[in-house]
Coordinates of all heavy atoms in Angstrom, one line a residue:
I1 N -1.3 9.9 -6.2 CA -1.6 8.4 -6.0 C -2.9 8.1 -6.8 O -3.9 8.7 -6.5 CB -1.7 8.0 -4.5 CG1 -0.3 8.3 -3.8 CG2 -2.1 6.5 -4.4 CD1 -0.4 8.0 -2.4
S2 N -2.8 7.1 -7.6 CA -4.0 6.7 -8.4 C -4.5 5.4 -7.8 O -3.9 4.3 -7.9 CB -3.7 6.5 -9.8 OG -4.7 5.8 -10.5
L3 N -5.6 5.5 -7.0 CA -6.2 4.3 -6.5 C -6.6 3.3 -7.5 O -6.5 2.1 -7.4 CB -7.3 4.6 -5.5 CG -7.0 5.4 -4.3 CD1 -8.2 5.7 -3.4 CD2 -5.9 4.6 -3.4
D4 N -7.1 3.8 -8.7 CA -7.5 2.9 -9.8 C -6.3 2.1 -10.3 O -6.4 0.9 -10.6 CB -8.1 3.7 -10.9 CG -9.5 4.2 -10.6 OD1 -10.2 3.7 -9.8 OD2 -9.9 5.3 -11.2
F5 N -5.1 2.8 -10.4 CA -3.9 2.1 -10.8 C -3.5 1.0 -9.8 O -3.2 -0.1 -10.2 CB -2.8 3.1 -11.1 CG -1.6 2.5 -11.7 CD1 -1.6 2.3 -13.1 CD2 -0.5 2.0 -11.0 CE1 -0.5 1.7 -13.8 CE2 0.6 1.4 -11.6 CZ 0.6 1.3 -13.0
I6 N -3.6 1.3 -8.5 CA -3.3 0.3 -7.5 C -4.2 -0.9 -7.6 O -3.8 -2.0 -7.6 CB -3.3 0.9 -6.1 CG1 -2.2 2.0 -6.0 CG2 -3.1 -0.1 -5.0 CD1 -2.3 2.8 -4.7
K7 N -5.5 -0.6 -7.7 CA -6.5 -1.6 -7.8 C -6.3 -2.5 -9.1 O -6.4 -3.7 -9.0 CB -7.9 -1.0 -7.9 CG -9.0 -2.1 -7.9 CD -10.4 -1.4 -7.8 CE -11.5 -2.4 -7.8 NZ -12.8 -1.8 -7.6
D8 N -6.0 -1.9 -10.2 CA -5.8 -2.6 -11.4 C -4.5 -3.5 -11.5 O -4.5 -4.5 -12.2 CB -5.8 -1.7 -12.6 CG -7.2 -1.0 -12.9 OD1 -8.2 -1.5 -12.3 OD2 -7.3 0.0 -13.6
H9 N -3.5 -3.0 -10.8 CA -2.2 -3.7 -11.0 C -1.6 -4.2 -9.7 O -0.6 -5.0 -9.8 CB -1.2 -2.7 -11.6 CG -1.6 -2.2 -12.9 ND1 -1.6 -2.9 -14.1 CD2 -2.2 -1.0 -13.3 CE1 -2.1 -2.2 -15.1 NE2 -2.5 -1.1 -14.7
G10 N -2.1 -3.9 -8.6 CA -1.5 -4.3 -7.3 C -1.3 -5.8 -7.1 O -0.2 -6.3 -6.8
A11 N -2.4 -6.6 -7.4 CA -2.3 -8.0 -7.3 C -1.2 -8.7 -8.2 O -0.4 -9.5 -7.7 CB -3.6 -8.7 -7.5
E12 N -1.2 -8.2 -9.4 CA -0.2 -8.8 -10.3 C 1.2 -8.4 -9.9 O 2.1 -9.3 -10.0 CB -0.5 -8.2 -11.7 CG 0.5 -8.7 -12.8 CD 0.2 -8.1 -14.2 OE1 -0.8 -7.3 -14.3 OE2 0.9 -8.3 -15.1
I13 N 1.4 -7.2 -9.5 CA 2.8 -6.8 -9.1 C 3.2 -7.6 -7.8 O 4.3 -8.0 -7.8 CB 2.8 -5.3 -8.9 CG1 2.7 -4.5 -10.2 CG2 4.1 -4.8 -8.1 CD1 2.4 -3.1 -10.1
M14 N 2.3 -7.7 -6.9 CA 2.7 -8.4 -5.6 C 3.0 -9.9 -6.0 O 3.9 -10.4 -5.5 CB 1.5 -8.3 -4.6 CG 1.3 -6.9 -4.1 SD 2.6 -6.3 -3.1 CE 2.5 -7.4 -1.7
A15 N 2.2 -10.5 -6.8 CA 2.3 -11.9 -7.1 C 3.6 -12.2 -7.9 O 4.2 -13.3 -7.8 CB 1.2 -12.4 -7.9
S16 N 4.2 -11.2 -8.6 CA 5.4 -11.3 -9.4 C 6.7 -11.2 -8.5 O 7.7 -11.4 -9.1 CB 5.4 -10.4 -10.5 OG 5.6 -9.0 -10.1
S17 N 6.5 -10.8 -7.3 CA 7.7 -10.6 -6.4 C 8.5 -11.9 -6.2 O 7.8 -12.9 -5.9 CB 7.3 -10.0 -5.1 OG 8.4 -9.9 -4.2
P18 N 9.8 -11.9 -6.2 CA 10.6 -13.1 -5.9 C 10.7 -13.3 -4.4 O 11.2 -14.3 -4.0 CB 11.9 -12.7 -6.5 CG 12.0 -11.3 -6.5 CD 10.6 -10.8 -6.7
I19 N 10.1 -12.4 -3.6 CA 10.2 -12.5 -2.1 C 8.9 -13.2 -1.7 O 7.8 -12.7 -1.9 CB 10.4 -11.1 -1.5 CG1 11.6 -10.5 -2.0 CG2 10.4 -11.3 0.0 CD1 11.8 -9.0 -1.7
D20 N 9.0 -14.4 -1.1 CA 7.9 -15.2 -0.7 C 6.8 -14.5 0.1 O 5.6 -14.6 -0.2 CB 8.3 -16.5 0.0 CG 9.1 -17.4 -0.9 OD1 8.9 -17.3 -2.2 OD2 9.8 -18.3 -0.4
Y21 N 7.2 -13.8 1.2 CA 6.2 -13.2 2.0 C 5.5 -12.0 1.3 O 4.3 -11.7 1.7 CB 6.8 -12.7 3.4 CG 7.3 -11.3 3.4 CD1 6.5 -10.3 3.8 CD2 8.7 -11.1 3.1 CE1 7.1 -9.0 3.9 CE2 9.2 -9.8 3.2 CZ 8.4 -8.8 3.6 OH 8.9 -7.5 3.6
I22 N 6.0 -11.5 0.2 CA 5.4 -10.5 -0.5 C 4.5 -11.1 -1.6 O 3.3 -10.8 -1.7 CB 6.4 -9.5 -1.2 CG1 7.0 -8.7 -0.1 CG2 5.7 -8.6 -2.2 CD1 8.1 -7.8 -0.6
S23 N 5.0 -12.1 -2.3 CA 4.2 -12.7 -3.4 C 3.0 -13.5 -2.8 O 2.0 -13.6 -3.4 CB 5.0 -13.6 -4.2 OG 5.6 -14.7 -3.5
G24 N 3.1 -13.9 -1.5 CA 2.0 -14.6 -0.9 C 1.1 -13.8 -0.1 O 0.1 -14.3 0.5
A25 N 1.4 -12.5 0.0 CA 0.6 -11.6 0.8 C -0.8 -11.4 0.2 O -0.9 -11.3 -1.0 CB 1.3 -10.2 1.0
K26 N -1.8 -11.2 1.1 CA -3.2 -11.0 0.6 C -3.5 -9.5 0.6 O -3.2 -8.8 1.6 CB -4.1 -11.7 1.6 CG -5.6 -11.6 1.2 CD -6.5 -12.3 2.1 CE -7.9 -12.1 1.7 NZ -8.9 -12.4 2.7
L27 N -4.0 -9.1 -0.5 CA -4.5 -7.7 -0.6 C -5.5 -7.4 0.5 O -6.4 -8.3 0.7 CB -5.0 -7.3 -2.0 CG -4.0 -7.5 -3.1 CD1 -4.7 -7.2 -4.4 CD2 -2.8 -6.6 -2.9
H28 N -5.5 -6.2 1.1 CA -6.4 -5.9 2.2 C -6.9 -4.5 2.0 O -6.1 -3.6 1.8 CB -5.8 -6.2 3.5 CG -6.7 -5.9 4.7 ND1 -7.6 -6.9 5.1 CD2 -6.9 -4.9 5.5 CE1 -8.3 -6.4 6.1 NE2 -7.9 -5.2 6.4
G29 N -8.1 -4.3 2.2 CA -8.7 -2.9 2.2 C -9.9 -2.8 1.3 O -10.2 -3.7 0.5
S30 N -10.6 -1.7 1.5 CA -11.9 -1.5 0.8 C -11.7 -1.4 -0.7 O -12.6 -1.6 -1.5 CB -12.7 -0.3 1.3 OG -11.9 0.8 1.2
L31 N -10.5 -1.0 -1.1 CA -10.1 -0.9 -2.6 C -10.3 -2.3 -3.3 O -10.6 -2.3 -4.4 CB -8.7 -0.3 -2.7 CG -8.3 0.0 -4.2 CD1 -9.1 1.1 -4.8 CD2 -6.8 0.4 -4.1
F32 N -10.0 -3.3 -2.5 CA -9.9 -4.7 -3.1 C -11.2 -5.5 -2.7 O -11.5 -6.5 -3.3 CB -8.7 -5.4 -2.7 CG -7.4 -4.6 -2.9 CD1 -6.7 -4.0 -1.9 CD2 -7.0 -4.3 -4.2 CE1 -5.6 -3.2 -2.1 CE2 -5.9 -3.5 -4.4 CZ -5.2 -3.0 -3.4
D33 N -11.8 -5.1 -1.6 CA -12.9 -5.9 -1.1 C -13.9 -5.0 -0.4 O -13.6 -4.4 0.7 CB -12.4 -6.9 -0.1 CG -13.5 -7.8 0.5 OD1 -14.7 -7.6 0.3 OD2 -13.1 -8.8 1.3
S34 N -15.1 -4.8 -1.0 CA -16.1 -3.9 -0.4 C -16.6 -4.3 0.9 O -17.2 -3.5 1.6 CB -17.2 -3.7 -1.4 OG -17.9 -4.9 -1.6
D35 N -16.4 -5.5 1.4 CA -16.9 -6.0 2.7 C -15.9 -5.6 3.8 O -16.3 -5.8 5.0 CB -17.1 -7.5 2.7 CG -18.2 -7.9 1.8 OD1 -19.2 -7.1 1.6 OD2 -18.2 -9.0 1.2
V36 N -14.7 -5.1 3.5 CA -13.8 -4.7 4.6 C -14.4 -3.5 5.3 O -14.8 -2.5 4.7 CB -12.4 -4.3 4.0 CG1 -11.5 -3.7 5.0 CG2 -11.8 -5.6 3.4
N37 N -14.4 -3.5 6.6 CA -14.9 -2.4 7.4 C -14.0 -1.9 8.5 O -14.5 -1.5 9.6 CB -16.3 -2.8 8.0 CG -16.2 -4.0 8.9 OD1 -15.1 -4.5 9.1 ND2 -17.3 -4.5 9.3
D38 N -12.7 -2.0 8.3 CA -11.7 -1.6 9.3 C -11.0 -0.3 9.0 O -10.0 0.0 9.5 CB -10.7 -2.7 9.6 CG -9.9 -3.1 8.4 OD1 -10.0 -2.5 7.4 OD2 -9.2 -4.1 8.6
D39 N -11.6 0.5 8.0 CA -11.0 1.8 7.6 C -9.7 1.6 6.8 O -9.0 2.6 6.6 CB -10.9 2.7 8.7 CG -12.2 3.1 9.3 OD1 -13.2 3.2 8.5 OD2 -12.3 3.4 10.5
T40 N -9.4 0.4 6.4 CA -8.2 0.3 5.5 C -8.7 0.5 4.1 O -9.8 0.2 3.7 CB -7.5 -1.1 5.6 OG1 -8.5 -2.1 5.3 CG2 -7.0 -1.3 7.0
I41 N -7.8 1.0 3.2 CA -8.2 1.2 1.8 C -7.2 0.4 0.9 O -7.6 -0.5 0.1 CB -8.2 2.7 1.4 CG1 -9.3 3.4 2.2 CG2 -8.4 2.8 -0.1 CD1 -9.3 4.9 2.1
S42 N -5.9 0.6 1.0 CA -4.9 -0.1 0.2 C -3.8 -0.6 1.1 O -2.9 0.2 1.4 CB -4.4 0.8 -0.9 OG -3.5 0.2 -1.7
S43 N -3.8 -1.9 1.4 CA -2.7 -2.5 2.1 C -2.6 -3.9 1.8 O -3.5 -4.5 1.0 CB -3.0 -2.3 3.7 OG -4.2 -2.9 4.1
V44 N -1.6 -4.6 2.3 CA -1.4 -6.0 2.1 C -1.2 -6.6 3.5 O -0.5 -6.1 4.3 CB -0.3 -6.3 1.1 CG1 -0.6 -5.9 -0.3 CG2 1.0 -5.7 1.5
D45 N -1.7 -7.8 3.6 CA -1.6 -8.5 4.9 C -0.3 -9.4 4.7 O -0.4 -10.5 4.2 CB -2.8 -9.4 5.2 CG -2.7 -10.1 6.5 OD1 -1.6 -10.0 7.2 OD2 -3.7 -10.8 6.9
T46 N 0.8 -8.9 5.2 CA 2.1 -9.6 5.1 C 2.3 -10.5 6.3 O 3.3 -11.3 6.3 CB 3.3 -8.7 4.9 OG1 3.3 -7.8 6.1 CG2 3.2 -7.8 3.7
R47 N 1.5 -10.4 7.3 CA 1.7 -11.1 8.6 C 3.0 -10.7 9.2 O 3.6 -11.5 9.9 CB 1.5 -12.6 8.4 CG 0.1 -12.9 8.0 CD -0.1 -14.4 7.9 NE -1.4 -14.7 7.3 CZ -2.5 -15.0 8.1 NH1 -2.4 -14.9 9.4 NH2 -3.6 -15.3 7.5
F48 N 3.5 -9.5 8.9 CA 4.7 -9.0 9.5 C 4.4 -8.0 10.6 O 4.0 -6.9 10.3 CB 5.5 -8.3 8.3 CG 6.9 -8.0 8.7 CD1 7.9 -9.0 8.9 CD2 7.3 -6.7 8.9 CE1 9.2 -8.6 9.2 CE2 8.6 -6.3 9.2 CZ 9.6 -7.3 9.4
Y49 N 4.4 -8.5 11.8 CA 3.9 -7.7 12.9 C 5.1 -6.9 13.5 O 6.1 -7.4 13.9 CB 3.3 -8.6 14.0 CG 2.1 -9.3 13.5 CD1 2.2 -10.5 12.8 CD2 0.9 -8.7 13.6 CE1 1.0 -11.2 12.4 CE2 -0.3 -9.3 13.1 CZ -0.2 -10.6 12.5 OH -1.3 -11.2 12.0
V50 N 4.9 -5.6 13.5 CA 5.8 -4.6 14.1 C 5.1 -3.6 14.9 O 3.9 -3.5 14.8 CB 6.6 -3.9 12.9 CG1 7.5 -4.9 12.1 CG2 5.7 -3.1 12.1
D51 N 5.9 -2.9 15.7 CA 5.3 -1.8 16.5 C 5.0 -0.6 15.6 O 5.9 -0.1 14.9 CB 6.3 -1.4 17.6 CG 5.8 -0.2 18.4 OD1 4.7 0.2 18.3 OD2 6.6 0.2 19.3
H52 N 3.7 -0.3 15.5 CA 3.3 0.8 14.6 C 3.2 2.2 15.2 O 2.7 3.1 14.6 CB 1.9 0.5 14.0 CG 1.9 -0.6 12.9 ND1 0.9 -1.4 12.7 CD2 2.8 -0.9 12.0 CE1 1.1 -2.2 11.7 NE2 2.3 -1.9 11.3
T53 N 3.8 2.3 16.4 CA 3.7 3.6 17.1 C 4.3 4.7 16.3 O 3.6 5.8 16.1 CB 4.4 3.5 18.5 OG1 3.8 2.5 19.2 CG2 4.3 4.8 19.2
E54 N 5.5 4.6 15.8 CA 6.1 5.6 15.0 C 5.4 5.9 13.7 O 5.2 7.0 13.3 CB 7.6 5.3 14.8 CG 8.4 6.4 14.2 CD 9.9 6.2 14.1 OE1 10.4 5.3 14.9 OE2 10.5 6.8 13.3
P55 N 5.1 4.8 12.9 CA 4.3 5.1 11.7 C 3.0 5.8 11.9 O 2.6 6.6 11.1 CB 4.1 3.7 11.1 CG 5.2 2.9 11.6 CD 5.5 3.4 13.0
Y56 N 2.3 5.4 13.0 CA 1.0 6.1 13.3 C 1.2 7.6 13.6 O 0.4 8.4 13.2 CB 0.3 5.5 14.5 CG -0.3 4.1 14.3 CD1 -0.3 3.2 15.3 CD2 -0.9 3.8 13.1 CE1 -0.9 1.9 15.1 CE2 -1.5 2.6 12.8 CZ -1.5 1.6 13.8 OH -2.1 0.4 13.6
E57 N 2.3 7.9 14.3 CA 2.6 9.3 14.6 C 2.9 10.1 13.3 O 2.4 11.2 13.1 CB 3.8 9.4 15.5 CG 3.5 9.0 16.9 CD 4.7 8.9 17.8 OE1 5.8 9.2 17.4 OE2 4.6 8.5 19.0
A58 N 3.7 9.5 12.4 CA 4.0 10.1 11.1 C 2.7 10.3 10.3 O 2.5 11.3 9.6 CB 5.0 9.3 10.4
L59 N 1.9 9.3 10.3 CA 0.6 9.3 9.5 C -0.3 10.4 10.0 O -0.9 11.1 9.2 CB -0.1 7.9 9.6 CG -1.4 7.8 8.8 CD1 -1.2 8.1 7.4 CD2 -1.9 6.4 9.0
E60 N -0.4 10.6 11.3 CA -1.2 11.7 11.9 C -0.7 13.1 11.4 O -1.5 13.9 11.1 CB -1.2 11.7 13.4 CG -2.1 10.6 13.9 CD -3.5 10.6 13.4 OE1 -4.1 11.6 13.4 OE2 -3.9 9.5 13.0
C61 N 0.6 13.2 11.3 CA 1.2 14.5 10.7 C 0.8 14.7 9.3 O 0.4 15.8 8.9 CB 2.7 14.5 10.8 SG 3.3 14.6 12.5
V62 N 0.8 13.6 8.5 CA 0.4 13.7 7.1 C -1.1 14.0 7.0 O -1.5 14.9 6.2 CB 0.7 12.4 6.4 CG1 0.1 12.4 5.0 CG2 2.2 12.1 6.3
R63 N -1.9 13.4 7.8 CA -3.3 13.6 7.7 C -3.7 15.0 8.1 O -4.7 15.6 7.7 CB -4.1 12.6 8.6 CG -4.1 11.3 8.1 CD -4.9 10.3 8.9 NE -5.2 9.1 8.2 CZ -5.5 8.0 8.8 NH1 -5.7 7.9 10.1 NH2 -5.7 6.9 8.1
E64 N -2.9 15.7 8.9 CA -3.2 17.1 9.3 C -3.0 18.1 8.2 O -3.6 19.1 8.1 CB -2.3 17.5 10.5 CG -2.7 16.8 11.8 CD -1.7 17.2 12.9 OE1 -0.8 18.0 12.7 OE2 -1.8 16.6 14.0
S65 N -2.1 17.7 7.3 CA -1.7 18.7 6.2 C -2.2 18.2 4.8 O -2.3 19.1 3.9 CB -0.2 18.9 6.2 OG 0.5 17.7 5.9
D66 N -2.4 16.9 4.6 CA -2.8 16.4 3.3 C -3.9 15.4 3.3 O -4.2 14.9 4.4 CB -1.6 15.7 2.7 CG -0.4 16.6 2.3 OD1 -0.7 17.7 1.8 OD2 0.8 16.3 2.6
D67 N -4.5 15.2 2.2 CA -5.5 14.1 2.1 C -4.7 12.8 2.0 O -3.8 12.7 1.2 CB -6.3 14.3 0.8 CG -7.3 15.5 0.9 OD1 -7.7 15.8 2.0 OD2 -7.6 16.1 -0.2
W68 N -5.1 11.9 2.9 CA -4.4 10.6 2.9 C -5.4 9.6 2.3 O -6.5 9.3 2.8 CB -4.1 10.2 4.3 CG -3.4 8.9 4.4 CD1 -3.9 7.7 4.9 CD2 -2.1 8.5 3.9 NE1 -3.0 6.7 4.8 CE2 -1.9 7.2 4.2 CE3 -1.1 9.3 3.3 CZ2 -0.7 6.5 3.9 CZ3 0.1 8.6 3.0 CH2 0.3 7.3 3.3
L69 N -5.0 8.9 1.2 CA -5.9 8.1 0.4 C -5.8 6.6 0.7 O -6.6 5.8 0.3 CB -5.5 8.2 -1.1 CG -5.6 9.6 -1.7 CD1 -5.2 9.6 -3.2 CD2 -7.0 10.1 -1.6
L70 N -4.8 6.2 1.5 CA -4.6 4.8 1.7 C -5.3 4.2 2.9 O -5.2 3.0 3.1 CB -3.1 4.5 1.8 CG -2.3 4.9 0.6 CD1 -0.8 4.6 0.7 CD2 -2.8 4.3 -0.7
G71 N -6.0 5.0 3.7 CA -6.7 4.5 4.9 C -5.8 4.2 6.1 O -4.7 4.7 6.2
D72 N -6.3 3.4 7.0 CA -5.6 3.1 8.2 C -4.7 1.9 8.0 O -4.7 1.2 7.0 CB -6.6 2.7 9.3 CG -7.3 3.9 9.9 OD1 -6.8 5.0 9.7 OD2 -8.4 3.7 10.5
L73 N -3.8 1.7 9.0 CA -2.8 0.6 8.9 C -3.1 -0.3 10.1 O -3.2 0.2 11.3 CB -1.4 1.2 9.1 CG -0.2 0.2 9.0 CD1 -0.2 -0.5 7.6 CD2 1.1 0.9 9.2
V74 N -3.4 -1.5 9.8 CA -3.8 -2.5 10.9 C -2.6 -3.5 11.1 O -1.8 -3.6 10.2 CB -5.1 -3.2 10.6 CG1 -6.3 -2.3 10.5 CG2 -5.0 -4.0 9.3
D75 N -2.6 -4.1 12.3 CA -1.6 -5.0 12.6 C -1.4 -6.1 11.6 O -2.4 -6.7 11.1 CB -1.8 -5.7 14.0 CG -1.6 -4.7 15.1 OD1 -1.0 -3.7 14.9 OD2 -2.2 -5.0 16.2
G76 N -0.2 -6.4 11.2 CA 0.2 -7.4 10.3 C 0.1 -7.0 8.8 O 0.4 -7.7 7.9
C77 N -0.2 -5.7 8.6 CA -0.4 -5.2 7.3 C 0.6 -4.1 7.0 O 1.2 -3.5 7.9 CB -1.8 -4.6 7.0 SG -3.0 -5.9 6.9
E78 N 0.9 -3.8 5.7 CA 1.7 -2.7 5.3 C 0.9 -2.0 4.2 O 0.1 -2.6 3.5 CB 3.0 -3.2 4.7 CG 3.8 -4.0 5.7 CD 5.1 -4.6 5.1 OE1 5.8 -3.9 4.3 OE2 5.4 -5.8 5.4
F79 N 1.1 -0.7 4.0 CA 0.4 0.0 3.0 C 0.9 -0.5 1.6 O 2.1 -0.9 1.4 CB 0.7 1.5 3.0 CG 0.1 2.2 4.2 CD1 0.8 2.8 5.2 CD2 -1.3 2.2 4.3 CE1 0.2 3.5 6.2 CE2 -2.0 2.9 5.3 CZ -1.2 3.5 6.3
L80 N 0.0 -0.5 0.6 CA 0.3 -0.8 -0.7 C 0.2 0.4 -1.6 O -0.9 1.0 -1.7 CB -0.6 -1.9 -1.3 CG -0.3 -2.3 -2.8 CD1 1.1 -2.8 -3.0 CD2 -1.3 -3.3 -3.2
V81 N 1.3 0.9 -2.1 CA 1.4 2.0 -3.0 C 2.0 1.6 -4.3 O 3.1 1.0 -4.2 CB 2.1 3.2 -2.4 CG1 2.1 4.4 -3.4 CG2 1.6 3.6 -1.1
V82 N 1.4 1.8 -5.4 CA 2.0 1.4 -6.7 C 1.9 2.6 -7.6 O 0.8 3.3 -7.7 CB 1.2 0.3 -7.4 CG1 1.7 -0.1 -8.7 CG2 1.1 -1.0 -6.5
F83 N 3.0 3.0 -8.2 CA 3.1 4.2 -9.1 C 3.4 3.7 -10.5 O 4.1 2.7 -10.7 CB 4.3 5.1 -8.7 CG 4.1 5.7 -7.3 CD1 4.6 5.2 -6.2 CD2 3.3 6.9 -7.2 CE1 4.5 5.8 -5.0 CE2 3.1 7.5 -6.0 CZ 3.7 7.0 -4.9
E84 N 2.8 4.4 -11.4 CA 3.1 4.1 -12.8 C 4.4 4.7 -13.1 O 4.7 5.9 -12.8 CB 2.0 4.7 -13.7 CG 2.2 4.3 -15.2 CD 1.0 4.8 -16.0 OE1 0.1 5.6 -15.5 OE2 1.0 4.5 -17.2
A85 N 5.3 3.9 -13.7 CA 6.6 4.4 -14.1 C 6.7 4.5 -15.6 O 6.2 3.7 -16.4 CB 7.7 3.4 -13.6
R86 N 7.4 5.5 -16.0 CA 7.7 5.7 -17.5 C 9.1 5.5 -17.7 O 10.0 5.8 -16.9 CB 7.3 7.1 -17.9 CG 5.8 7.4 -17.7 CD 5.4 8.7 -18.4 NE 3.9 8.8 -18.4 CZ 3.2 9.4 -17.5 NH1 3.8 9.9 -16.4 NH2 1.9 9.4 -17.5
A87 N 9.4 4.9 -18.9 CA 10.8 4.6 -19.3 C 11.5 5.9 -19.4 O 11.0 6.9 -20.0 CB 10.8 3.8 -20.6
R88 N 12.7 5.9 -18.9 CA 13.6 7.1 -19.1 C 14.5 7.0 -20.3 O 15.0 6.0 -20.6 CB 14.4 7.3 -17.8 CG 13.6 7.6 -16.6 CD 14.4 7.5 -15.3 NE 15.4 8.6 -15.3 CZ 16.3 8.7 -14.4 NH1 16.3 7.9 -13.4 NH2 17.1 9.7 -14.3
R89 N 14.6 8.1 -21.0 CA 15.5 8.1 -22.2 C 16.9 8.3 -21.7 O 17.1 9.2 -20.9 CB 15.1 9.2 -23.2 CG 13.8 8.9 -23.9 CD 13.6 9.9 -24.9 NE 12.5 9.6 -25.7 CZ 11.9 10.4 -26.5 NH1 12.3 11.7 -26.6 NH2 10.8 10.0 -27.2
R90 N 17.8 7.5 -22.2 CA 19.2 7.7 -21.9 C 19.9 8.6 -22.9 O 19.7 8.4 -24.1 CB 19.9 6.3 -21.8 CG 19.3 5.5 -20.8 CD 20.1 4.2 -20.8 NE 19.5 3.3 -19.8 CZ 20.2 2.5 -19.0 NH1 21.6 2.5 -19.1 NH2 19.7 1.7 -18.1
S91 N 20.6 9.5 -22.4 CA 21.4 10.3 -23.4 C 22.6 9.5 -23.9 O 23.2 8.7 -23.2 CB 21.8 11.6 -22.7 OG 22.6 11.4 -21.6
R92 N 22.9 9.8 -25.1 CA 24.0 9.1 -25.8 C 25.3 9.9 -25.8 O 25.4 11.0 -25.8 CB 23.6 8.7 -27.2 CG 22.5 7.8 -27.2 CD 22.2 7.4 -28.6 NE 21.0 6.5 -28.6 CZ 20.7 5.8 -29.6 NH1 21.4 5.8 -30.7 NH2 19.7 5.0 -29.6

């Protein structure tokens, strides 16, 4: 995961979504705003409130075995992960 790539392209990608709650979501985390102090790094505030019990349990398993770069998940937010894609060549 490239945090620099997420920082450079996240806002533009989110804004281009045809889904209103995604295109209108506010970027959240220290990657986008150095004043954030809730241990989030790369997320978006979609105001979509769900029970995070299961995702928190899965996240703890990941943190035990790997470095987790995206920070914490707070209520109303979802993680923002953006990957660089390369065009695939089609065989003829």
